[in-house]
Amino acid sequence: SSRWIEAPRPGEVLALTLDARLQATAETLLDEALARRTLSGARPATAGAAAVVMDVRTGAILACASAPRFDPNVFDGGDNREVRRLLGDPARPLFDRTIQMAVAPGSLSKIVTAAALVESRAVDPRESFYCRGYLEKPTALRCQIYDQFERGHGEVTLPDALAESCNVYFFHHAGRLGPGPLTAWLDRFGFGRATGVDLPGEAAGCVPTPESIAALEGHDWKVDDTRRVAVGQGSLTVTPMQAVRMTAAVANGGRLVSPHVVQKSSDDDAPPDASPVPGLDAATLDAIRHGLEMAVASPKGTAHATVFNESIAVAGKTGTAQTGGDRSPHAWFAGYAPVDDPRVALVVVVEHAGDGGEVAGPVAARLLLRLAQLGLLDTKEMEPQINTDEHR
């Protein structure tokens, strides 16, 4: 009926924080990573990837890429076959993985576990712990280095454990700590709830607790559940947007900024709705940052081989999240740069693709080079290229 037809009218001009050049690079890099994943024979056959780059001071998102993608013009009514193909594609190109993909973060969560251990006085960051490669027996709760070489990391402090991603360090101390402080600190860093980014359909992820574990996994909470959550496994799931927000908080001195893609007039300053991570001490942050810096700069660091660049000082953490069965792990990297005066945080995740350092690390490294090329890591000038679009 004609009474339901509304005449078109011009929309408002919408200024975005996205940098079109960086966005294009991120999309290309994700497409290439998925192509390499296919050639490597990773399982299952179909998967996706995401990358987010964010200003650590304001929460302005400079790039927000999901792969595979789709051309929104197919929904103009001209090609119903292409719409049906998209809807039935097992790789789910309509699924925005930056905000809707909630998966196990793997060792990225050790950043939060480190904060929980130090702030709960369970460890002194300078205290040494001997890693033999496994916690109690060689067949379970091991470090990746033991799987490869049948040895451990030896004597490690908390920064060492972050840099070298020592599972046994975190298994041991988290088991003594218990689930309460650990789940509380995951909540303080924003996991288990939406970030509030101005995009539709954001997922909340999941932080399992002793109260919810029965519904999630069908059993009462055990000490091994605490250990699994401490290293980003079990029922713990996070989105790339949550991960980049957590990383930005480490970089900016402990503030949880509000991620956004719509340009705000206050983007030159800290947004008024940024909130401090409760109870996070500067000394604790220093210890965590030291570990993340060594993860890239030290030859022993899990990100050194693929992310280290003499011209860009980067801090970060790799994550290799086991997914069960014969499926390949999720590959993560989260980091920030420059180390001395952080401007951006970034997160890369490739589903079911393998080792975080080997798969996500190279994508992050090339994104960082592009950021430097575009001048977006400069300490004096950090204004993204503004894109405008008229929405009708």
Side-chain angles (χ1 to χ4, degrees):
S1 173
S2 61
R3 70 176 183 275
W4 300 112
I5 297 176
E6 184 176 342
R9 64 184 187 276
E12 299 293 330
V13 174
L14 184 65
L16 303 180
T17 61
L18 298 175
D19 186 295
R21 304 160 298 176
L22 186 66
Q23 178 73 18
T25 299
E27 292 177 358
T28 298
L29 291 174
L30 292 185
D31 292 344
E32 292 173 351
L34 289 179
R36 289 192 297 272
R37 178 196 173 278
T38 299
L39 291 173
S40 73
R43 299 176 63 90
T46 57
V52 183
V53 183
M54 187 172 74
D55 186 322
V56 304
R57 305 162 304 165
T58 68
I61 296 171
L62 307 180
C64 191
S66 179
R69 292 172 303 285
F70 67 98
D71 180 356
N73 290 316
V74 303
F75 290 94
D76 66 359
D79 190 350
N80 289 331
R81 289 176 300 177
E82 178 62 11
V83 171
R84 288 195 296 271
R85 186 195 69 78
L86 288 172
L87 292 172
D89 190 333
R92 299 191 293 173
L94 302 178
F95 184 60
D96 183 354
R97 286 171 165 85
T98 64
I99 60 171
Q100 295 174 321
M101 178 177 67
V103 297
S107 293
L108 261 62
S109 70
K110 291 174 183 174
I111 297 171
V112 181
T113 302
L117 290 172
V118 177
E119 295 295 353
S120 301
R121 304 296 186 265
V123 300
D124 182 320
R126 300 162 296 183
E127 177 187 353
S128 182
F129 170 84
Y130 184 78
C131 167
R132 58 184 174 179
Y134 57 89
L135 183 62
E136 295 169 347
K137 53 187 179 180
T139 56
L141 298 173
R142 303 181 298 196
C143 281
Q144 187 174 1
I145 194 173
Y146 188 84
D147 294 336
Q148 295 174 317
F149 306 111
E150 292 192 355
R151 65 178 177 86
H153 291 100
E155 296 289 343
V156 292
T157 62
L158 184 138
D160 297 325
L162 285 171
E164 301 174 42
S165 209
C166 178
N167 287 339
V168 174
Y169 178 96
F170 291 99
F171 287 150
H172 172 77
H173 289 301
R176 294 169 51 241
L177 178 68
L182 181 57
T183 57
W185 277 94
L186 287 164
D187 176 74
R188 292 182 188 190
F189 272 95
F191 293 140
R193 64 180 185 275
T195 67
V197 64
D198 48 1
L199 293 169
E202 183 182 15
C206 176
V207 174
T209 66
E211 292 74 32
S212 66
I213 195 71
L216 292 169
E217 299 185 20
H219 61 78
D220 292 336
W221 191 276
K222 299 172 292 189
V223 66
D224 278 356
D225 293 308
T226 305
R227 292 166 176 158
R228 280 193 290 268
V229 170
V231 299
Q233 297 286 172
S235 293
L236 177 66
T237 61
V238 307
T239 66
M241 193 64 68
Q242 290 171 328
V244 79
R245 187 183 187 218
M246 177 270 292
T247 306
V250 173
N252 67 24
R255 292 185 303 108
L256 284 174
V257 295
S258 295
H260 58 279
V261 296
V262 176
Q263 185 73 34
K264 296 182 179 181
S265 60
S266 61
D267 269 355
D268 289 338
D269 305 302
D273 52 352
S275 57
V277 177
L280 185 60
D281 187 75
T284 301
L285 269 180
D286 286 344
I288 292 171
R289 287 171 173 163
H290 182 42
L292 302 186
E293 291 167 24
M294 290 199 305
V296 178
S298 169
K300 291 184 177 181
T302 57
H304 180 79
T306 56
V307 181
F308 177 73
N309 186 303
E310 291 185 357
S311 64
I312 306 171
V314 184
K317 185 77 193 74
T318 57
T320 305
Q322 302 301 319
T323 56
D326 63 351
R327 296 176 299 177
S328 302
H330 300 313
W332 287 86
F333 177 81
Y336 59 87
V339 163
D340 292 337
D341 186 10
R343 314 302 284 178
V344 301
L346 76 162
V347 163
V348 175
V349 56
V350 187
E351 288 179 297
H352 301 296
D355 181 86
E358 294 176 2
V359 177
V363 178
R366 292 175 66 185
L367 266 178
L368 287 159
L369 287 172
R370 183 61 166 153
L371 280 158
Q373 181 187 50
L374 296 173
L376 297 176
L377 294 181
D378 294 347
T379 57
K380 293 184 179 179
E381 185 175 351
M382 179 63 183
E383 288 301 318
Q385 174 183 324
I386 303 302
N387 303 308
T388 60
D389 188 16
E390 292 186 0
H391 290 257
R392 291 178 169 84

